[in-house]
Amino acid sequence: MLNEIQSQLADLSNHEDGQFLQKYFKTGPGQYGEGDLFRGIRVPALRRLSRKYRDIPIELAEGLLHSAYHEDRLLALFILVLKYARADEAGKAAIYDFYINNTSFINNWDLVDSSAPNIVGAHLSDRGKEPLYLLARSPSMWERRIAVLSTFYFIRRDEFDDALKIAEILLTDKEDLIHKAVGWMLREVGKRNFQKEEHYIKIHYASMPRTMLRYAIERFPEEKRLSYLKGSPSAAI
């Protein structure tokens, strides 16, 4: 079955698209996706395949997740998200454990963003959140991004505390992809509770990396947004 799936992936490959995606996902020396390989398959085609193969066992999904090709790993994660949504409690726990034990293969921002909320976030929603705080302090940038993006599941349920606490842990993070992720989640909080987000921004804006702040306040009224960027928000509050 794994050979069958990877044969279909090979058939869908497009060399020119693969070259474009390798540049888009920063796969050059010293870049965040260094060494990643792309077949050149667009997301809609991968989603169609994920629906076709959503009933494969975790062991086969593992074969895809461990592939050198980015699209194979993305397909595996799409499948795992679908499987998690339909699984019983034991099945959900198995998928969550598998995910946490294989984070080294969830190693680009799209892989994290398409899977962490609906597996890690969903699983921890009604459980203890300690694993997220361990991930937020991980030396791995991708595990830290998993921690941030997992809170999107909570935010959608109007539960903001863990998102804000993890954002605070990551205020001094050195990675731009973490700044963007934290700012995005703060913005999502603000879509649902502007007062909650702005209270956080008032306290932390001076110490927030510029990219994080820009992402977080993107939807603020223009005068208020500019006042934060200039470092003088009192005039707009």
Side-chain angles (χ1 to χ4, degrees):
M1 178 69 78
L2 180 59
N3 289 339
E4 173 189 319
I5 297 172
Q6 291 187 311
S7 176
Q8 291 186 53
L9 288 166
D11 289 342
L12 290 168
S13 298
N14 180 292
H15 178 72
E16 289 185 3
D17 283 349
Q19 292 295 307
F20 168 79
L21 290 169
Q22 285 191 218
K23 292 179 181 178
Y24 181 76
F25 283 97
K26 310 296 185 187
T27 63
Q31 295 181 308
Y32 63 74
E34 181 176 358
D36 206 354
L37 299 177
F38 283 79
R39 293 182 184 274
I41 307 172
R42 300 292 176 158
V43 167
L46 293 173
R47 289 202 179 277
R48 285 193 292 273
L49 277 183
S50 71
R51 291 190 290 272
K52 179 178 180 180
Y53 290 109
R54 65 186 178 185
D55 293 325
I56 65 171
I58 289 179
E59 292 76 17
L60 281 180
E62 181 177 19
L64 289 170
L65 189 63
H66 290 189
S67 170
Y69 286 102
H70 187 100
E71 290 92 342
D72 297 28
R73 303 197 302 279
L74 185 56
L75 175 60
L77 293 166
F78 285 163
I79 289 170
L80 290 171
V81 167
L82 292 175
K83 290 178 72 65
Y84 186 92
R86 302 170 71 216
D88 59 17
E89 286 305 308
K92 290 180 189 297
I95 292 168
Y96 168 80
D97 289 342
F98 171 78
Y99 189 99
I100 292 298
N101 289 328
N102 284 275
T103 55
S104 60
F105 299 96
I106 306 168
N107 56 353
N108 216 312
W109 58 263
D110 63 322
L111 303 178
V112 172
D113 298 1
S114 63
S115 60
N118 293 319
I119 295 179
V120 180
H123 198 70
L124 298 179
S125 179
D126 299 317
R127 295 175 172 84
K129 307 300 190 294
E130 294 84 358
L132 287 187
Y133 291 87
L134 292 174
L135 290 169
R137 294 182 171 90
S138 169
S140 163
M141 174 175 67
W142 303 120
E143 290 192 343
R144 299 197 302 277
R145 189 162 174 120
I146 287 170
V148 180
L149 264 293
S150 295
T151 68
F152 201 0
Y153 188 88
F154 314 150
I155 292 168
R156 290 171 178 153
R157 296 175 56 162
D158 294 331
E159 299 167 2
F160 310 124
D161 288 351
D162 290 293
L164 297 176
K165 289 175 183 176
I166 287 174
E168 191 164 354
I169 290 171
L170 296 171
L171 275 175
T172 59
D173 202 281
K174 304 301 183 186
E175 298 290 347
D176 187 62
L177 284 173
I178 299 299
H179 302 168
K180 291 176 179 178
V182 172
W184 174 20
M185 290 303 100
L186 291 172
R187 187 171 72 238
E188 292 297 331
V189 170
K191 287 180 183 180
R192 296 156 177 84
N193 189 321
F194 182 80
Q195 291 73 24
K196 179 79 74 171
E197 183 196 4
E198 189 175 18
H199 177 73
Y200 181 92
I201 299 295
K202 285 179 186 178
I203 295 170
H204 296 293
Y205 78 93
S207 58
M208 293 173 72
R210 196 71 167 177
T211 297
M212 186 186 296
L213 178 61
R214 285 185 177 277
Y215 269 59
I217 64 175
E218 188 177 90
R219 294 170 61 91
F220 277 30
E222 185 67 4
E223 182 181 357
K224 190 184 290 286
R225 188 181 67 82
L226 291 175
S227 73
Y228 278 108
L229 291 174
K230 293 173 181 176
S232 56
S234 58
I237 296 173

